[in-house]
Amino acid sequence: MDILTFPPDYWDGPRHNRHYFCEELSKQHKVLFASPPFYLVDLLRKYGKGLLPNSGVNYVNENLMTYIPPKFLFTNYRFPNLNNKLRDMRVNRIKKLMHKHSMQKPILLMWHPVFNDMIDYFEDSLLVYYIYDNLSGYVGSDPSKEYEAEVELIKRADITFALSKELYDKNKKYSKNIHLLPNAVNYDLFKQSRDDATTVPSELADIPGPRIGYIGTINEKVDLNILECIAEERPEWSVVLIGRDNYQTEEKQRFEEFLKRKNVFRFGYKEYSTIPSYIKGLDALLMCYVINDWTFYGDPSKMHEYLASGKPTIATALPAMKEFEHVIDIPEAPEAWVDAIEKGLNEKDDEMKKIRIEVAQQNSYENRAKRATQIINDAILKKA
């Protein structure tokens, strides 16, 4: 089975479930990870400043190729005729790359409706759409409006995967064949947070304990009320934040003020492979999200990454979390987070640690890829 996939980002950079999922699929199948073209405005702003990834082909492993179109084959929204010609040129380059690697009649795996214009060009055997987020709930979007391009893609897809039950329920009316396929964990990597051989980075080890940590992108989805309450109520705790921030609103100013507290420590983006070493250096792990039209539909990938460590994990009451109340704490008010963290720090139950690890192991990307492959094979047989 050959897989041509169109993600909304690049291979190098912040990791998402599409990266893990495609990497797991590549253990058994050829995968071409075709990143989006550069948007003309971004190209004009960033060209020559070292802010854009290099174009071309890169081989992650023997079955997984990544491709970034040349910068002169950009995309734009002002000149449709030019855009169509540039798209056709991008399509031809991808076809040549597929031919070179003997990829035929691929599974077309789509991650975003912005790539709808790439459908119908590759003689695909199956069109698959993986809904990973509530796109209409993003900051600046109108949640009252259906994302028309996404609805069109769901209706056309032979198979639709939904990352959460909430996304499944919201979109099942549009799909002829939809399946729940939640987030998972690269278990072999994240179990390293328990290994004696794993070294805690010195920048983290030098911070006084206990260390209460959040790992992930920091933006409007993070509940600053919770973080502020923890830092205020327990000045003897170290609040550690690991990840890039990409605030789009004035909330960034509040975040910058929060960083001035003496017991708050901020690290930027860390390479994916190093995250287990940072988890090892933390004593309690946070998934502190606000609940809105964006996060309500989510299924955070870090949940199982945290659980693979066996450490106490405290989370917001998102619907996707409630299924795991037996292994994570879900306090309601910000003040209750302090008590939940304290409970976790004082935990003596090794059995609970074992249960968390077992849950993470059951929710590995290996298991997710096996299930997805079976669903795809069944659909191919039915279509044939």
Side-chain angles (χ1 to χ4, degrees):
M1 183 167 72
D2 297 332
I3 301 167
L4 171 60
T5 185
F6 289 97
D9 45 17
Y10 307 99
W11 186 262
D12 295 324
R15 304 278 286 194
H16 302 283
N17 73 313
R18 46 196 169 269
H19 297 81
Y20 315 138
F21 188 65
C22 289
E23 193 165 30
E24 189 63 43
L25 288 172
S26 73
K27 293 178 181 179
Q28 303 294 331
H29 313 283
K30 290 181 184 177
V31 179
L32 174 52
F33 191 93
S35 290
F38 296 101
Y39 179 46
L40 180 58
V41 174
D42 289 337
L43 195 60
L44 295 174
R45 288 174 180 169
K46 299 177 181 179
Y47 187 74
K49 298 180 180 179
L51 301 175
L52 298 172
N54 294 326
S55 299
V57 180
N58 184 46
Y59 296 88
V60 179
N61 60 48
E62 62 180 359
N63 276 344
L64 176 56
M65 293 176 289
T66 67
Y67 173 72
I68 300 176
K71 294 176 177 60
F72 65 85
L73 295 182
F74 55 82
T75 186
N76 73 92
Y77 302 109
R78 289 188 145 193
F79 310 104
N81 291 335
L82 174 61
N83 210 35
N84 290 340
K85 290 179 180 178
L86 294 174
R87 178 206 58 209
D88 292 344
M89 294 171 71
R90 293 195 301 271
V91 166
N92 286 334
R93 285 179 175 245
I94 293 173
K95 283 183 175 180
K96 288 179 180 179
L97 185 58
M98 293 175 63
H99 179 73
K100 178 181 176 181
H101 292 86
S102 302
M103 296 179 68
Q104 298 178 343
K105 293 190 175 298
I107 305 299
L108 196 57
L109 175 57
M110 313 295 282
W111 295 92
H112 199 288
V114 74
F115 297 108
N116 283 7
D117 64 343
M118 302 300 279
I119 301 173
D120 295 330
Y121 287 96
F122 299 99
E123 298 180 359
D124 55 275
S125 58
L126 216 63
L127 175 60
V128 180
Y129 175 42
Y130 200 147
I131 310 174
Y132 65 87
D133 222 337
N134 180 36
L135 301 180
S136 61
Y138 282 3
V139 174
S141 299
D142 183 353
S144 66
K145 294 182 179 179
E146 292 288 358
Y147 196 6
E148 293 180 3
E150 182 172 41
V151 172
E152 176 191 345
L153 179 53
I154 296 170
K155 288 180 176 179
R156 292 193 64 180
D158 297 293
I159 298 173
T160 300
F161 291 128
L163 190 70
S164 69
K165 185 177 184 302
E166 288 62 43
L167 287 171
Y168 175 93
D169 289 341
K170 178 184 178 184
N171 294 289
K172 62 183 180 183
K173 60 187 175 184
Y174 304 121
S175 176
K176 53 195 174 190
N177 187 11
I178 188 168
H179 302 266
L180 177 62
L181 199 69
N183 256 325
V185 60
N186 181 340
Y187 181 77
D188 288 341
L189 174 64
F190 281 88
K191 71 179 182 181
Q192 294 175 16
S193 61
R194 309 191 309 270
D195 290 350
D196 293 337
T198 299
T199 303
V200 176
S202 58
E203 61 179 351
L204 180 58
D206 291 342
I207 294 173
R211 306 182 197 104
I212 317 303
Y214 167 86
I215 302 175
T217 302
I218 305 165
N219 50 26
E220 286 79 4
K221 71 183 179 185
V222 173
D223 195 329
L224 289 178
N225 291 324
I226 292 172
L227 291 175
E228 288 168 347
C229 182
I230 294 169
E232 179 71 25
E233 294 294 320
R234 292 294 186 274
E236 70 276 17
W237 292 354
S238 295
V239 179
V240 179
L241 308 174
I242 301 171
R244 66 188 180 110
D245 77 84
N246 65 345
Y247 280 98
Q248 306 296 317
T249 67
E250 65 279 357
E251 190 80 351
K252 182 176 176 64
Q253 297 175 5
R254 182 181 172 189
F255 174 65
E256 296 292 344
E257 285 299 313
F258 174 68
L259 293 179
K260 295 177 182 179
R261 293 175 180 263
K262 291 183 178 180
N263 64 332
V264 175
F265 301 86
R266 163 80 192 287
F267 302 121
Y269 169 76
K270 300 299 177 183
E271 287 296 326
Y272 172 64
S273 60
T274 69
I275 297 301
S277 64
Y278 284 90
I279 291 177
K280 184 174 182 177
L282 299 171
D283 301 295
L285 304 163
L286 307 179
M287 289 184 284
C288 45
Y289 303 118
V290 297
I291 299 178
N292 56 26
D293 285 313
W294 178 12
T295 62
F296 178 83
Y297 293 93
D299 180 32
S301 60
K302 67 176 58 64
M303 175 166 59
H304 295 301
E305 295 171 357
Y306 285 172
L307 292 177
S309 72
K311 294 188 176 185
T313 298
I314 301 92
T316 302
L318 296 176
M321 305 292 190
K322 293 184 177 180
E323 178 186 348
F324 298 93
E325 282 183 300
H326 61 299
V327 288
I328 61 177
D329 261 308
I330 305 180
E332 294 295 333
E335 298 77 16
W337 279 69
V338 175
D339 294 335
I341 294 168
E342 197 129 46
K343 173 187 168 188
L345 294 176
N346 294 323
E347 183 179 277
K348 307 297 182 185
D349 187 1
D350 286 340
E351 187 61 30
M352 178 54 69
K353 179 179 179 179
K354 292 178 182 177
I355 295 172
R356 293 188 188 112
I357 293 169
E358 288 172 1
V359 169
Q361 195 168 13
Q362 291 163 6
N363 289 275
S364 68
Y365 271 106
E366 180 181 4
N367 289 336
R368 291 289 188 274
K370 285 179 181 177
R371 180 165 182 267
T373 301
Q374 183 61 58
I375 292 170
I376 289 170
N377 284 333
D378 290 347
I380 291 174
L381 289 172
K382 184 176 180 181
K383 192 172 183 178

